[in-house]
Amino acid sequence: MGKMAAAVGSVATLAAEPGEDAFRKLFRFYRQSRPGTADLGAVIDFSAPRGTGPGARKVVRSQLSVSSVSDHDAHRAGLQPVSKWQAYGLQGYPGFIFIPNPFLPGYQWHWVKQCLKLYSQKPNVCNLDKHMTQEETQDLWEQSKEFLRNKEVNKRRQRSLLEKLRWVTLGYHYNWDSKKYSADHYTPFPSDLAFLSEQVAAACGFQGFQAEAGILNYYRLDSTLGIHVDRSELDHSKPLLSFSFGQSAIFLLGGLKRDEAPTAMFMHSGDIMVMSGFSRLLNHAVPRVLPSPQGESLPCCLETPLPTVLPRDSVVEPCSEEDWQVCTSYLKTARVNMTVRQVLATDQDFPVESMEEKKTDITTEGFCHLDDENCQVKRVKLNPDS
């Protein structure tokens, strides 16, 4: 109780900067927080029963639609039967669902490998496209794997392209400047990730969810996700799904306005968050990625290997020792997050754009300004506004 009181007191005594709102003040506090101290005493941990921290009194159990996903389909996606999942909500945040790691042992390996090896490939769009040719970013995995395998041997080496990756877009590619999606900027959405997303959405009561766009964020230990609202999708009645892998982070969930102080919670490897209904358009952010207390190491849930025998119709594919060695080297000091959205309502089309709007979209598509707080992942030293 002493640590919790100290944490609340530390936040209360933090001097506000000129024009700083309640959300920004807490964002700054947690960005500067020291792991292992009272600074994190107010952060909810859903992996503990009913959560911990002063905010735990907000934690309530969420009901899942167990019959909507067969045990077989859950297994195909690498998930435990829905009947074994734990799901929580927060008082004051209707539509927010937090599911602590529902993945079967070892199955996170597939999704980590896909984010690093497959989803980063062309024709998907990434932050490196602004500074490099398509040929130079054609296969980031092949260009980076030897660098990452020798990471422990050569600490002073140049960073690999995978370590410079900040975001990748899938399906309908988000335009960072116009903050829009468009019909003519689309590549096929990965079928395995679509299947995973459909099972999670159905378990949360959203049968018929269609995975149409994804934003993958690649965090280093000094990365942040600025305060923002995901409102660019044309249908807000469908949920936003978020999957976390690798090192833990602090997530802040606020209100409709930034003068409402947010609630802080940990996101651990394998955790899933669903933002729907009232919570779909709330301000949120990630002010801090937390280094492992054991030094450069993986979370315990990633130490179990993927089973060698998989269901015949599984969307999960085998992961070689060689590939996992590269993933391990990367994840010891990093975190990967997948967010999946449905952009259009059933039978909905994109609005017709004028030629001038199309011209603007073509000249700026895929680029992300690092000083724009709606840009997804940022490095602290490149982002004075965070």
Side-chain angles (χ1 to χ4, degrees):
M1 186 68 183
K3 273 193 176 183
M4 297 177 191
V8 174
S10 297
V11 174
T13 58
L14 181 69
E17 295 182 344
E20 187 173 51
D21 54 60
F23 200 129
R24 173 64 61 185
K25 181 180 177 181
L26 269 174
F27 183 100
R28 185 163 58 89
F29 172 80
Y30 283 114
R31 192 184 71 193
Q32 300 166 357
S33 62
R34 297 157 298 166
T37 70
D39 288 356
L40 305 186
V43 183
I44 295 173
D45 191 346
F46 287 100
S47 63
R50 292 295 299 266
T52 60
R57 62 182 179 275
K58 296 182 180 178
V59 177
V60 295
R61 292 299 294 264
S62 287
Q63 295 299 313
L64 297 173
S65 181
V66 175
S67 62
S68 297
V69 180
S70 69
D71 291 356
H72 179 71
D73 280 344
H75 195 175
R76 287 180 61 199
L79 298 164
Q80 299 178 52
V82 177
S83 59
K84 295 186 176 180
W85 298 8
Q86 300 295 316
Y88 302 98
L90 291 171
Q91 291 179 3
Y93 298 93
F96 175 76
I97 304 171
F98 194 107
I99 305 169
N101 183 15
F103 288 92
L104 289 163
Y107 279 78
Q108 289 186 53
W109 281 29
H110 170 80
W111 301 107
V112 170
K113 183 192 70 172
Q114 295 298 81
C115 288
L116 296 177
K117 185 175 182 177
L118 183 65
Y119 301 158
S120 62
Q121 290 188 23
K122 296 300 167 219
N124 297 329
V125 180
C126 72
N127 62 291
L128 299 177
D129 297 336
K130 183 176 182 180
H131 309 288
M132 304 174 71
T133 66
Q134 185 164 327
E135 289 71 28
E136 290 175 314
T137 59
Q138 189 62 38
D139 195 334
L140 302 183
W141 175 271
E142 285 299 318
Q143 295 186 62
S144 303
K145 63 183 183 181
E146 290 306 321
F147 282 90
L148 287 165
R149 280 202 196 100
N150 297 316
K151 183 177 174 182
E152 300 299 322
V153 178
N154 184 7
K155 299 264 187 188
R156 302 182 66 182
R157 65 182 171 76
Q158 183 179 0
R159 282 185 301 129
S160 65
L161 289 180
L162 272 179
E163 291 170 294
K164 295 178 181 178
L165 194 61
R166 292 292 168 265
W167 53 262
V168 167
T169 55
L170 311 171
Y172 288 117
H173 296 284
Y174 185 69
N175 182 311
W176 300 100
D177 288 299
S178 68
K179 296 180 173 48
K180 294 179 186 176
Y181 299 96
S182 62
D184 55 2
H185 196 194
Y186 175 84
T187 55
F189 194 92
S191 59
D192 58 347
L193 181 53
F195 185 78
L196 171 69
S197 302
E198 288 159 9
Q199 307 319 303
V200 172
C204 293
F206 296 94
Q207 288 84 0
F209 175 85
Q210 297 178 10
E212 295 178 328
I215 298 178
L216 312 183
N217 291 327
Y218 300 79
Y219 295 76
R220 310 305 298 169
L221 293 178
D222 60 352
S223 299
T224 65
L225 172 68
I227 307 167
H228 69 287
V229 175
D230 292 283
R231 59 165 60 93
S232 297
E233 295 72 32
L234 301 186
D235 181 12
H236 297 149
S237 69
K238 301 299 188 293
L240 173 70
L241 310 180
S242 171
F243 303 85
S244 293
F245 303 106
Q247 300 302 318
S248 298
I250 297 173
F251 179 78
L252 298 179
L253 180 63
L256 294 171
K257 298 179 180 179
R258 285 175 42 164
D259 58 4
E260 298 177 52
T263 297
M265 63 200 79
F266 290 112
M267 289 186 295
H268 301 303
S269 192
D271 289 350
I272 298 174
M273 289 193 305
V274 179
M275 296 176 68
S276 67
F278 171 81
S279 294
R280 178 64 178 78
L281 296 174
L282 296 183
N283 283 282
H284 55 280
V286 177
R288 187 87 158 86
V289 178
L290 301 167
S292 169
Q294 288 76 42
E296 292 189 8
S297 63
L298 290 180
C300 294
C301 63
L302 291 175
E303 292 177 353
T304 304
L306 180 66
T308 52
V309 179
L310 302 170
R312 184 173 49 82
D313 55 352
S314 175
V315 301
V316 173
E317 299 173 350
C319 179
S320 69
E321 269 190 55
E322 181 184 25
D323 282 354
W324 187 243
Q325 183 185 6
V326 177
C327 294
T328 295
S329 178
Y330 178 90
L331 277 189
K332 283 181 177 179
T333 55
R335 170 180 181 263
V336 179
N337 178 257
M338 310 187 300
T339 57
V340 180
R341 311 107 190 282
Q342 179 169 333
V343 177
L344 300 168
T346 305
D347 298 326
Q348 184 181 19
D349 294 319
F350 286 99
V352 177
E353 291 185 329
S354 68
M355 290 305 294
E356 191 60 34
E357 286 177 315
K358 285 190 176 182
K359 182 179 177 182
T360 302
D361 287 353
I362 291 170
T363 57
T364 61
E365 65 184 8
F367 296 162
C368 175
H369 295 158
L370 288 172
D371 59 352
D372 177 1
E373 73 172 10
N374 286 315
C375 165
Q376 295 290 309
V377 172
K378 297 164 284 190
R379 310 276 310 270
V380 169
K381 50 188 160 187
L382 294 180
N383 177 34
D385 185 47
S386 296

